Amino acid sequence: MSIPRLGDVRHNRTLQYNVRRKDHPLPLGSAKTDNGESMPPSEIRDSIKAQLLEKVRKHDFGRYLFKASIGRIRGFSGEDITFDFPVTALIGPNGSGKSAVLGAAGCAYKPIKPGTFFPKSTVGDESMSGWSVEYELVDKQINPRQLVKRNSSFRQAKWVRRDVADREVLFFGIERTVPAGEKTRYKALMRSTYIHRPPLEPLNADVATQVEHILGKSVQDYRITKYGLDDTFLVGRFGVNNYSEFHFGAGESSVIRMVSRIESAPENSLILIEEIENGLHPVATRRMVEYLIDVAERKSIQTVFTTHSDYALSPLPNEAIWASIDGKLRQGKLSVEALRAVSGRVDKKLAVFVEDEFAKCWVDTILREMLGADYDQIEVHAVHGDGNAVKTHRSHMQNPAINFRSLCVIDGDSAQQEDPDAGIIRLPGRQPELAVFDAIRGSLNENLAILTVSCQRAPEAQELVRRSIDDVSRTNRDPHLLFNQVGIKIGFVPEATVRGAFLVLWVRAHLVFCNELATKAKQLIAT
C-alpha cells in the first residue's frame, strides 16, 4: 500500500491520528502550560499510554473500575463517567463536585464506606434520599469474561450496597499535607520524657528511588521508624545533620508516605487522591502523575485524583481527563485556564472556543493582528474536540447568568455544522496545520525573506529555509509535526517560533477571512 504524501487527498485524518500514536519526538516548544510557562517534557512515552488505553479497552486488568453511572448525587443527575485510562484526573472549579465523583468511585468497593464521602447531617441533608450510583467493574475472580454490575444507593436514611466487590483501596485526603507538628498523634514525641525504642531503618530502596525522581532530591539517607501500634515517623538528613519529620516540607512528607503505601499495595489496587498538587512544586506534581502512570504499567494499579493544576494534566492522554462543570461531566483535556471560561468564570468580554492548541494559536494570531487594543478583551480556549467547542459555545449563548459573549471557531475538517449567525465559524482548509503550511509554501517566492527572519535565522539562510520546507513537504506523514520538523532542519528553532512565523504570514495573505472574524469579534465585544 502506498503511503499518502503531504497534500494527497488520501491523507485523511484517520491516517494522521494513527501515525500520531507512534513515538514521535516531543515537538520543540510544546512543553508549556496554558500561560506559556516552560516545563520539562513528560518522560512517559506515547506508546506506554497507548498500551494502557488498549489494556483498559480489552478489560485486561484483574480488578478495575470501568464505569460509574451517577443516578443522583449532590449536583449530578444522570451523569456517566468511564475510566478509559488507569490514571484519571478530575478537574473543575471549587464546589463543582470533583470530590463527589472521587467518592462515588471509591464507594464501588468494600473498604470505602459511603459515609466517608457522603455523611448525612440531621440539618440540611434532607435531599439525600434517592442518591444512587451504578457501577461496571472488571473483577476476574467474580466473572473472568464479563463486566460485573453493582450499585450503591441511599434510602431509608442509610447507604445500601449488596454484594459489594472487594478490592484494596488507598485514599489520600487533603489532611496528608498537614505538618507533622500539628498532628495530635505525634504529640508524645515532643515530650522530654518520651523514650523511643524501635530502631531507625532505611527507606525501602524502591521507595527511595521513586521519591527521588518525584522530588528531585536524594532521600537515600532518610530513615523511618515504627511509632505506636501501626504508625511510622520519618527522619531526614542534610549533610551531617539529622532532622525529624516535624521539620519536613508538607509535600516531602506526603510523597514519601504515599509512595511507601503504593509500592507495598497489591496489584490491581485502587488509589484515590484529593488535590494531587497539594504541597508540591509544579514539576513535582507532573512527576507524581508520571509515577502513577508507571505504577499502572508495573502493578496494574488504577488511580483517580482531583486537581486544579495544569502540570498534573500534562502527562495524561485526553481520555484520562474529566471536567465537572455545572452538574455535567465532560471528557477531554481542558487546561485549567480554559476550564474557567467553560464554567463561565472569565473577566474578558469575549471567549472564543476552538478544538485544539493549534487552532488556539491560529485564532489568537488572527485576532491579535487584526484587533489592536481590542485584543485585550478576548480569551481563546482549546476545549478538546469540535463537539465540545460547539456544545460549550451554545450553552453559553443560552445561559443568561454568564456575563461575557462567546464565539466558536471549528476546524476546516470538522463534522460540526458552521453557523455564522449563531457564532460558529469554520477555519479555511481541510486540516489546520496542513492548510497553513501549504499556503505559505505556495507563496515562498514573495515571503521567503520575511519568513527566514521571523524564524530567527539570518537573511543569508533563506535557501536553507526553502530547502528545509521542501524536504519536510516530501517526507512528512503527520501534519501535527510540520512546524517542529521545519524548526529542526533550519537549526533547532523552537516549534512555537516557526509556527508563529507561518501564522502571521498566513493572516496577512488572507485578509478577507481574518477581517470577517475580527468584525464578528468586535461586534460581540461592543454589545
Side-chain angles (χ1 to χ4, degrees), residues 16 21 78 171 185 215 306 329 370 388 497:
Q16 295 158 18
R21 291 170 69 91
F171 172 53
R185 67 179 190 267
L215 296 180
T306 67
L329 293 172
M370 305 300 296
N388 276 345
T497 300

Side-chain angles (χ1 to χ4, degrees), residues 439-452:
I440 302 309
R441 180 170 173 253
S443 62
L444 269 186
N445 288 338
E446 307 94 80
N447 294 316
L448 182 59
I450 296 175
L451 182 64
T452 301

Side-chain angles (χ1 to χ4, degrees), residues 399-464:
N399 188 347
I402 293 177
N403 60 1
F404 62 90
R405 309 301 295 273
S406 72
L407 267 176
C408 175
V409 182
I410 56 178
D411 288 355
D413 57 355
S414 170
Q416 302 293 320
Q417 294 296 315
E418 62 184 301
D419 185 352
D421 292 337
I424 303 173
I425 299 169
R426 186 181 298 274
L427 287 166
R430 291 190 63 249
Q431 203 282 339
E433 289 92 341
L434 185 58
V436 172
F437 183 88
D438 278 350
I440 302 309
R441 180 170 173 253
S443 62
L444 269 186
N445 288 338
E446 307 94 80
N447 294 316
L448 182 59
I450 296 175
L451 182 64
T452 301
V453 175
S454 297
C455 287
Q456 299 181 358
R457 304 298 296 163
E460 53 267 28
Q462 290 182 50
E463 285 309 309
L464 170 63

Side-chain angles (χ1 to χ4, degrees), residues 451-483:
L451 182 64
T452 301
V453 175
S454 297
C455 287
Q456 299 181 358
R457 304 298 296 163
E460 53 267 28
Q462 290 182 50
E463 285 309 309
L464 170 63
V465 172
R466 181 196 297 275
R467 190 167 59 252
S468 298
I469 291 172
D470 288 342
D471 287 347
V472 168
S473 72
R474 286 190 292 268
T475 60
N476 174 268
R477 297 187 183 191
D478 180 1
H480 294 93
L481 299 178
L482 282 165
F483 305 110

Side-chain angles (χ1 to χ4, degrees), residues 352-388:
V352 184
F353 299 106
V354 299
E355 176 177 344
D356 56 23
E357 285 302 316
F358 182 79
K360 178 181 184 299
C361 293
W362 193 354
V363 173
D364 247 332
T365 303
I366 293 172
L367 297 178
R368 185 177 61 248
E369 292 287 314
M370 305 300 296
L371 290 181
D374 285 337
Y375 175 71
D376 290 338
Q377 300 300 319
I378 293 177
E379 286 184 359
V380 183
H381 297 284
V383 294
H384 176 59
D386 51 354
N388 276 345

